[in-house]
């Protein structure tokens, strides 16, 4: 008898996909887990800071640079190690990065980077490789810890707020601005073409500005506006209080003079005459604004428009200097004056020179005149070591100048009078030798008796901003034709300048276009005094003028305004300067708001 019963295979012998038995699948699974666990464990073992600095090439070089930075030690105690910045978290990208690292192991084996000298020799190439990778990945490793969408502008400085908002809208990424924050920077070795390509916005990286960011921005701006309003109200109250004290003192003095002996009355009368002024203004009816001025060193318009100014893109888009730097004025000036600035070097510093101070500006007007009052604290004398006697202008312990311009002048709307300062004018790094100036064809058109003075771009055909091939920055020798210069004057493309020299008691009124001309304007009245350590300079100037180079001021128009103070017998670029501000009549939106008397 034939047995047709078919025996059923055991569970372990059952066939699965591709003929594999259950037992085989289990074995493969277990082996796979062991292999994967070993592989992953080994890969993660190489993914630590300790492993990265296991060789002296890393420990003695980049690790030592990294330790003083904020990524190593900071107020929150969150440390970003080597893998956080240099190893992707997504597994596939991580494996690819580990494979790429084999090239670095080869460099270690062959001794390519085994000394500090060799490492520095290859540093720029290594940095470019990292920058390029981060640019291509939208700074993926930065976003291991940081996230645009989670940023709170309430805890950022105004400059950071503007730059990050700009990054959202134009498609910038972290590495565009943050090179060299953990290691020695070599960004300055990039050519202009390389820099422009590497830092160009990428439309693929444009992000919608998160509502969280917009809400935070609104809160911090409202908070700052409230603080400014509170400060303004406090100043107004203090001004009213002081005015009341003055009026009481005058009343008491008048009362005492009536009954006083004749000798005492005469002395009081002489004192009053000494302090009298033709500029009789009730300053209690004016508006007051505090503006910080700072020492600029060799910072020029070419520097602002050039590669070393991190905010160049924002500036050329139309952002004002104050939008990024209004809270940093003191820091900027102090860093430059002390020689500690990393971006603006000054080869001829004055030891002890103060970096910044605040100036109170009162502004008012009547039907015919504009009235300005500048007040600021005097400083101790700090001799200039490169001048005999230490005084650059012995005849004038103080000079004050201010400039006005319409929006017709390029960059005046955001930089004020800064557009007149160029890298090739007197005292600046690229000033031509006197023999070069006097031997040029322009000596027939420009007054080089006192060297190369300020000018604005409207008078030049071009400015050298990049300095390629050792070219000098600026555009002194690219003067436009005389007809073009006259056309600029006719269309208000000039900076109107008024300057007062305290020692000589001279008021100068001119304009800056092809050069600085300190005459020809309508002039004005100035009264200055130094009492109890405070300078006070009052200016009276007519609103309307028919003189070439004068800016006439009328209601309903906002003007660009900037000023500079030469204190302590200084001259040239050794002044303290303001950023660009707005001046107008009866306009609360303008920083310098001249109230009607």
């Amino acid at each position: 008898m034939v047995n047709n019963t078919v025996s059923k295979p055991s569970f372990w012998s059952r066939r699965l996909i591709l003929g594999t038995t259950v037992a085989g699948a289990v074995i493969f699974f277990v082996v796979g887990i062991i292999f994967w666990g070993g592989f992953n464990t080994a890969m993660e073992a190489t993914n630590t800071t300790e492993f990265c600095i296991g060789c002296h090439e890393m420990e003695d070089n980049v690790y030592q640079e990294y330790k003083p930075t904020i990524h190593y030690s900071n107020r929150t105690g969150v440390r970003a190690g080597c893998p956080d910045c240099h190893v992707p978290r997504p597994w596939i990208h991580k494996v690819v990065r580990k494979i790429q690292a084999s090239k670095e192991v080869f460099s270690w084996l062959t001794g390519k980077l085994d000394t500090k000298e060799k490492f520095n020799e290859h540093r720029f190439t290594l940095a470019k490789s990292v920058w390029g990778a981060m640019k291509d990945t939208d700074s993926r490793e930065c976003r291991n810890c940081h996230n645009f969408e989670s940023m709170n502008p309430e805890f950022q400085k105004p400059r950071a707020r503007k730059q990050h908002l700009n990054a959202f809208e134009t498609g910038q990424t972290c590495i565009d601005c943050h090179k060299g924050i953990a290691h020695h920077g070599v960004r300055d070795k990039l050519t202009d073409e390389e820099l422009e390509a590497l830092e160009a916005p990428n439309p693929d990286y444009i992000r919608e500005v998160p509502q969280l960011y917009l809400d935070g921005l609104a809160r911090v701006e409202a908070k700052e506006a409230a603080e400014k309003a509170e400060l303004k109200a406090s100043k107004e109250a203090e001004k009213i209080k002081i005015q009341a004290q003055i009026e009481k003192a005058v009343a008491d003095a008048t009362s005492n003079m009536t009954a006083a002996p004749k000798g005492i009355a005469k002395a009081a009368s002489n004192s009053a005459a000494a302090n009298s002024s033709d500029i009789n203004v009730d300053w209690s009816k004016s508006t007051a604004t505090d503006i910080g001025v700072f020492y600029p060193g060799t910072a020029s318009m070419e520097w602002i428009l050039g590669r070393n100014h991190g905010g160049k893109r924002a500036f050329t888009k139309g952002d004002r200097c104050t939008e990024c730097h209004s809270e940093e004025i003191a820091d900027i000036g102090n860093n430059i004056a002390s020689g500690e600035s990393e971006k603006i070097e000054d080869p001829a510093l004055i030891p002890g020179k103060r970096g910044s101070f605040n100036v109170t500006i009162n502004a008012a007007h009547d039907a015919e005149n504009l009235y300005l009052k500048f007040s600021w604290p005097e400083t101790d004398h700090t001799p200039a070591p490169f001048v005999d006697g230490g005084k650059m202008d012995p005849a004038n312990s103080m000079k004050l100048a201010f400039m006005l311009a319409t929006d017709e002048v390029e960059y005046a709307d955001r930089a004020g009078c800064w557009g007149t300062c160029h890298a090739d004018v007197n005292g600046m790094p690229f000033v031509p030798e006197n023999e070069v100036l006097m031997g040029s064809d322009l000596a027939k058109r420009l007054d080089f008796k006192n060297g190369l003075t300020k000018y604005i771009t409207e008078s030049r055909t071009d400015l050298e901003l990049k300095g390629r091939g050792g070219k000098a920055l600026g555009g002194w020798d690219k003067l436009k034709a005389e007809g073009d210069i006259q056309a600029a004057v006719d269309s208000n493309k000039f900076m109107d300048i008024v300057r007062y020299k305290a020692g000589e008691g001279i008021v100068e009124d001119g304009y800056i276009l092809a050069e600085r001309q300190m005459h020809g304007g309508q002039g004005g009245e100035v009264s200055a005094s130094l009492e109890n350590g405070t300078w006070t300079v009052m200016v009276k100037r007519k609103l309307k003028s028919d003189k070439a180079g004068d800016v006439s001021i009328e209601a309903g128009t906002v003007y660009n305004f900037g000023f500079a103070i030469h204190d302590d017998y200084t001259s040239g670029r050794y002044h303290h300067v303001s950023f660009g501000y707005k001046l107008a009549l009866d306009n609360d939106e303008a920083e310098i708001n001249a109230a009607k008397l």
Side-chain angles (χ1 to χ4, degrees), residues 10 33-34 69 116 120 167 181 203 311 341 360 382 396 551:
S10 67
I33 290 177
I34 294 173
T69 70
K116 187 179 290 290
N120 286 330
I181 56 174
S341 175
T360 299
T382 53
N396 296 288
V551 171

Side-chain angles (χ1 to χ4, degrees), residues 176-324:
D176 289 349
C177 299
H178 295 289
K179 302 176 188 67
I181 56 174
H183 304 296
H184 290 171
V186 286
R187 174 183 178 273
D188 59 327
K189 293 186 177 182
L190 289 165
T191 66
D192 292 308
E193 292 78 11
E194 289 175 322
L195 189 65
E196 290 172 5
L198 187 59
E199 297 186 352
N202 185 338
D204 293 337
Y205 299 159
I206 293 176
R207 298 168 170 82
E208 182 178 354
V209 183
Q211 191 59 45
L212 178 69
Y213 195 91
L214 294 174
D215 292 343
L217 196 61
R219 285 193 297 270
V220 71
E221 289 177 347
K223 178 183 177 183
E224 290 174 348
E227 290 174 348
K228 288 182 179 179
E230 183 179 353
L231 180 62
K232 182 178 180 180
S234 175
K235 286 182 176 294
E236 289 295 326
E238 182 67 18
K239 184 168 64 174
I240 293 172
K241 179 181 177 181
I242 292 174
Q243 184 63 29
Q245 292 173 343
I246 293 173
E247 291 174 357
K248 182 177 183 301
V250 171
D252 292 343
T254 302
S255 175
N256 292 334
M257 284 172 57
T258 303
K262 293 182 179 180
I264 298 178
K266 184 176 181 180
S269 177
N270 287 340
S271 175
N275 292 314
S276 66
S277 168
D278 291 335
I279 305 177
N280 297 314
V281 175
D282 183 356
W283 293 107
S284 66
K285 296 180 179 180
S286 68
T287 60
T289 306
D290 284 343
I291 290 179
V293 293
F294 63 98
Y295 176 63
T298 59
S300 65
M301 199 61 193
E302 287 76 19
W303 182 85
I304 292 174
L305 295 170
R307 59 185 291 163
N308 290 324
H309 180 214
K312 168 190 172 183
R313 186 170 292 116
F315 181 83
T316 54
K317 281 182 57 187
D319 286 354
R320 299 168 63 194
C321 299
T322 55
E323 293 186 64
C324 289

Side-chain angles (χ1 to χ4, degrees), residues 13 19 75 102 144 156 177 224 333 388 396 462 546 579 583:
S13 300
R75 64 188 180 277
S102 61
N144 282 344
Q156 296 177 342
C177 299
E224 290 174 348
D388 289 341
N396 296 288
D462 189 27
D546 58 359
F579 284 130
L583 179 145

